[in-house]
C-alpha cells in the first residue's frame, strides 16, 4: 500500500499550487466585477484550478501504486506524470493571462496574439492527454494492488481519456462560423461549448452550463472526473466491508466495479448525446428520460447480480480464503510453518 510520501512529487506540488491558484481566483471573483460571455472573468481560472487539484492528486496516487517492484514502469510513469504537470501548468498560465486581459481564452481568433494563445492551449491539451494515456497503459500492465482497485483504475483512466477527448467536439466550427467563413467574412471565434445556442447565454449556478441549449462541457467534465469517482467507490466498499460480509469477498467488489464502470460509461454517452442534440441538462426530453431510466434499471439489476452472485469459498477458521476475509479473525494465524496475515 502506498503512502502520500511515495506519490508523484511534481503532481502533488502542482496540485498544491493549483489550490492556492483557486484561492486567488476566488478573490478575483469577489473583487473583479468584469463579465465575459455571461460569466465572471475569474470563473474559468477558478474552475480549472479546482479541477486540476483533483485530477493531479488522483494521477499522483495511481503512479505510486506501480511500486518499487517495477522500476522501469515507475520511471516511465514518473516522466509521463511530469509531462502532464508541464502541460497543465502551461494551460493554466494561458487561461489566467487571458482572464487578466479580459478576453476569452478558448475559441478566440480576434487577434493574431489571441489565435496563437488558443493554438498553444490546444497543443498543451494534446500533450496532457498523451501523458495520461502513457500512465494508463503502464497501470494496465502492472499488478498494482487488489483486483477491485486495479480494475477501478483501468476503467477510470479510459473513461477520463474519453472525457478529455470529447473536448475536440468544442473545437469544431459552429454552423454560424462556417457560414461566415464561406461568405468570406472575418471569423473571430472558432468553436464553442454550447450547441444550438450562442456561448454566453443563461447558465447554471457556479458551473455556467447552458440552461437553454446543449453544453459539451458537461460530458467533458463528467468523463474526466471518473479518475476520482471510481477509485473512491472502491474505498467506500472497503470501508463498508467490516459491516457487510458480502463486501469482504474480492470477487463481489470486482463485479461491483464493473457494474459501476459500465453505468458510468452509459451516463457519459447519454450526456454526450443530450448535449449534441442541443438539449440543456436540466430540461431533458422524453427520449433522454427514457434512456436515463433504462440506465438506472440496468444499474439496479447489475448491482443485485453482483451482490447475489456466487461468492468465493471460505475455509472455516481461516482469516483469508478465496479473496474473502472472515469477520472476527483479523489477526495473523499459522498454516503449517508459515505465518499468514489477513489480506496477504
Amino acid at each position: 500500500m502506498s503512502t502520500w510520501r511515495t506519490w508523484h512529487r511534481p503532481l502533488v506540488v502542482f496540485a498544491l499550487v493549483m489550490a492556492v491558484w483557486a484561492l486567488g481566483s476566488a478573490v478575483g471573483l469577489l473583487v473583479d466585477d468584469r463579465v465575459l460571455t455571461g460569466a465572471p472573468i475569474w470563473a474559468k481560472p477558478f474552475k480549472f484550478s479546482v479541477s486540476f487539484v483533483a485530477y493531479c492528486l488522483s494521477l499522483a496516487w495511481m503512479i505510486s501504486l506501480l511500486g518499487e517492484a517495477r522500476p522501469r514502469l515507475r520511471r516511465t510513469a514518473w516522466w509521463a506524470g511530469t509531462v502532464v504537470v508541464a502541460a497543465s501548468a502551461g494551460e493554466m498560465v494561458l487561461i489566467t493571462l487571458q482572464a487578466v486581459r479580459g478576453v476569452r481564452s478558448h475559441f478566440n481568433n480576434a487577434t493574431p496574439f489571441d489565435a496563437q494563445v488558443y493554438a498553444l492551449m490546444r497543443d498543451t491539451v494534446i500533450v496532457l492527454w498523451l501523458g495520461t494515456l502513457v500512465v494508463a497503459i503502464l497501470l494496465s500492465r502492472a499488478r498494482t494492488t487488489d483486483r477491485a482497485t486495479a480494475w477501478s483504475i483501468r476503467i477510470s483512466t479510459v473513461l477520463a481519456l474519453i472525457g478529455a477527448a470529447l473536448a475536440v467536439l468544442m473545437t469544431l466550427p459552429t454552423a454560424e462560423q462556417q457560414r461566415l467563413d464561406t461568405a468570406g467574412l472575418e471569423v473571430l471565434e472558432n468553436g464553442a461549448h454550447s450547441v444550438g445556442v450562442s456561448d454566453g447565454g443563461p447558465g447554471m449556478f457556479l458551473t455556467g452550463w447552458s440552461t437553454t441549449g446543449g453544453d459539451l462541457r458537461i460530458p467533458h467534465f463528467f468523463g474526466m472526473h471518473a479518475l476520482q469517482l471510481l477509485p473512491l467507490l472502491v474505498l467506500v466498499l472497503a470501508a463498508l466491508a467490516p459491516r457487510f460480509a458480502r463486501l469482504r469477498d474480492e470477487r463481489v467488489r470486482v463485479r461491483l466495479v464493473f457494474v459501476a464502470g459500465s453505468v458510468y460509461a452509459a451516463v457519459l454517452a447519454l450526456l454526450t448525446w443530450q448535449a449534441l442534440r442541443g438539449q440543456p441538462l436540466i430540461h431533458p426530453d422524453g427520449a433522454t428520460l427514457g434512456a436515463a431510466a433504462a440506465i438506472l434499471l440496468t444499474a439496479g439489476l447489475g448491482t443485485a447480480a453482483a451482490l447475489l452472485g456466487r461468492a468465493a469459498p471460505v475455509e472455516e477458521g481461516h482469516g483469508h480464503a478465496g479473496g474473502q476475509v472472515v469477520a472476527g479473525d483479523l489477526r495473523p494465524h499459522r498454516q503449517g510453518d508459515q505465518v499468514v496475515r489477513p489480506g496477504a
Side-chain angles (χ1 to χ4, degrees):
M1 180 64 68
S2 66
T3 66
W4 68 270
R5 289 184 177 86
T6 66
W7 290 19
H8 187 276
R9 187 65 58 82
L11 280 166
V12 172
V13 171
F14 181 69
L16 294 175
V17 171
M18 286 298 97
V20 176
W21 209 292
L23 291 175
S25 299
V27 172
L29 287 170
L30 295 175
V31 302
D32 192 340
D33 59 0
R34 290 179 296 166
V35 175
L36 185 64
T37 60
I41 198 77
W42 288 97
K44 182 169 287 187
F46 176 78
K47 289 187 291 185
F48 269 72
S49 56
V50 171
S51 182
F52 272 130
V53 170
Y55 189 86
C56 290
L57 286 179
S58 299
L59 212 57
W61 167 68
M62 290 178 181
I63 290 174
S64 75
L65 296 179
L66 288 169
E68 299 300 333
R70 305 296 296 271
R72 290 183 61 185
L73 293 184
R74 185 177 176 86
R75 191 179 309 114
T76 304
W78 189 92
W79 280 109
T82 304
V83 168
V84 169
V85 169
S88 302
E91 181 87 356
M92 281 304 305
V93 167
L94 294 174
I95 288 173
T96 306
L97 170 66
Q98 295 298 71
V100 171
R101 296 180 63 230
V103 298
R104 296 190 73 177
S105 54
H106 291 77
F107 322 124
N108 189 353
N109 288 328
T111 69
F113 179 80
D114 292 325
Q116 185 61 41
V117 168
Y118 180 41
L120 285 173
M121 290 178 63
R122 289 199 304 265
D123 293 341
T124 61
V125 169
I126 292 172
V127 172
L128 189 157
W129 191 90
L130 290 174
T132 304
L133 176 63
V134 170
V135 173
I137 292 173
L138 294 174
L139 287 168
S140 70
R141 294 181 56 193
R143 292 186 177 182
T144 55
T145 179
D146 69 278
R147 290 196 303 141
T149 303
W151 275 110
S152 75
I153 290 173
R154 290 166 185 160
I155 295 171
S156 66
T157 49
V158 170
L159 290 172
L161 287 168
I162 293 173
L166 288 174
V168 173
L169 297 174
M170 303 184 214
T171 67
L172 302 178
T174 65
E176 177 63 17
Q177 291 165 359
Q178 289 177 333
R179 186 188 67 78
L180 292 174
D181 186 55
T182 302
L185 300 175
E186 185 180 13
V187 182
L188 299 181
E189 295 181 353
N190 185 26
H193 52 69
S194 298
V195 179
V197 296
S198 299
D199 286 353
M204 296 172 59
F205 173 72
L206 189 61
T207 63
W209 296 338
S210 177
T211 57
T212 57
D215 200 315
L216 292 166
R217 291 175 296 182
I218 298 171
H220 175 62
F221 173 88
F222 185 76
M224 288 193 65
H225 288 287
L227 205 64
Q228 295 85 49
L229 296 178
L230 289 181
L232 179 62
L233 170 65
V234 176
L235 294 177
V236 172
L237 294 176
L240 293 175
R243 299 184 60 185
F244 300 96
R246 196 68 175 166
L247 295 180
R248 296 175 205 142
D249 188 336
E250 184 182 56
R251 293 198 298 189
V252 171
R253 298 195 303 274
V254 170
R255 290 198 293 259
L256 288 172
V257 167
F258 277 118
V259 170
S262 300
V263 170
Y264 205 103
V267 173
L268 176 59
L270 176 59
L271 291 173
T272 305
W273 180 55
Q274 183 183 21
L276 288 173
R277 289 187 296 136
Q279 186 178 111
L281 176 67
I282 60 175
H283 298 301
D285 62 9
T288 302
L289 290 174
I295 293 173
L296 183 61
L297 177 61
T298 303
L301 293 175
T303 301
L307 291 172
L308 300 176
R310 183 181 176 186
V314 180
E315 184 179 343
E316 190 69 28
H318 290 289
H320 184 277
Q324 183 175 18
V325 178
V326 180
D329 187 11
L330 301 179
R331 297 168 298 177
H333 60 276
R334 288 190 176 273
Q335 289 183 352
D337 297 327
Q338 184 179 10
V339 176
V340 180
R341 297 182 180 275

